[in-house]
Amino acid sequence: MFGKKNLGKTLKSQAKRLGACDKGLDNLERLNEQELINRYVHFIDFAISAQFPSNDFIKENFSEELLHHNNIYVDSFVERRNARQIVVIQGKSNGNLYYDGYNTADVYVRHDSDIVIDCTRMSKIFISVYDNAKVKVIQRDGASVYV
């Protein structure tokens, strides 16, 4: 595992090689683990298109507890109700997401993940599916789902 001091520096070097924008690279070497995750989520489009960082890198350098707290699942079982804002499911993850009420979310499902997303009662969910991922959507009771 990289020392916390080197983690941001390592990510910055790799991201720069992959063509990350200056805004995404700004002060990356000074960020703590939570701030690095915030940056990852904020620039999720770049992360997905560049396949950056790798699943192995994420699992080796960030605790599963911290990743799950931030709705990021890598090679994990997922069982969440009303996970808010952005949810990233990648690697060989599987499980279920449930949304109800007036909850909204952007869900990114990647790699070889296999997920069921059950949406009910006016929830509004945006789902992006990549690679070989499989998503089964259950939509009922006025829920809006966009894949």
Side-chain angles (χ1 to χ4, degrees):
M1 180 188 280
F2 291 94
K4 291 185 192 274
K5 199 184 235 185
N6 296 328
L7 185 57
K9 186 176 181 180
T10 300
L11 286 168
K12 185 173 186 172
S13 171
Q14 292 175 1
K16 190 172 188 173
R17 267 197 316 269
L18 293 169
C21 67
D22 290 340
K23 186 175 180 183
L25 295 171
D26 188 41
N27 294 318
L28 207 57
E29 69 279 1
R30 295 185 192 149
L31 302 181
N32 64 36
E33 288 182 29
Q34 180 59 58
E35 292 166 330
L36 289 168
I37 287 174
N38 295 347
R39 185 75 56 98
Y40 171 75
V41 170
H42 184 78
F43 290 98
I44 192 67
D45 292 331
F46 169 78
I48 289 171
S49 68
Q51 296 285 328
F52 171 78
S54 71
N55 290 335
D56 288 338
F57 185 92
I58 292 169
K59 291 188 318 185
E60 289 170 10
N61 292 285
F62 296 90
S63 74
E64 187 173 67
E65 180 181 347
L66 182 61
L67 292 169
H68 291 184
H69 176 75
N70 286 279
N71 296 322
I72 300 170
Y73 299 88
V74 181
D75 298 332
S76 299
F77 178 73
V78 180
E79 190 79 25
R80 289 289 310 269
R81 179 171 299 282
N82 298 322
R84 302 214 177 205
Q85 298 172 346
I86 294 178
V87 180
V88 181
I89 300 169
Q90 57 192 45
K92 292 182 180 179
S93 297
N94 60 57
N96 304 286
L97 293 173
Y98 304 95
Y99 290 95
D100 59 22
Y102 289 92
N103 288 289
T104 63
D106 291 308
V107 180
Y108 298 85
V109 186
R110 305 174 59 200
H111 303 124
D112 295 308
S113 296
D114 191 353
I115 300 294
V116 175
I117 303 176
D118 187 338
C119 308
T120 63
R121 298 187 353 216
M122 306 306 287
S123 58
K124 189 172 188 176
I125 310 302
F126 299 87
I127 305 167
S128 298
V129 183
Y130 302 88
D131 310 311
N132 298 315
K134 295 176 187 162
V135 176
K136 177 181 179 183
V137 175
I138 301 168
Q139 177 184 8
R140 52 198 157 101
D141 299 331
S144 297
V145 179
Y146 306 90
V147 181

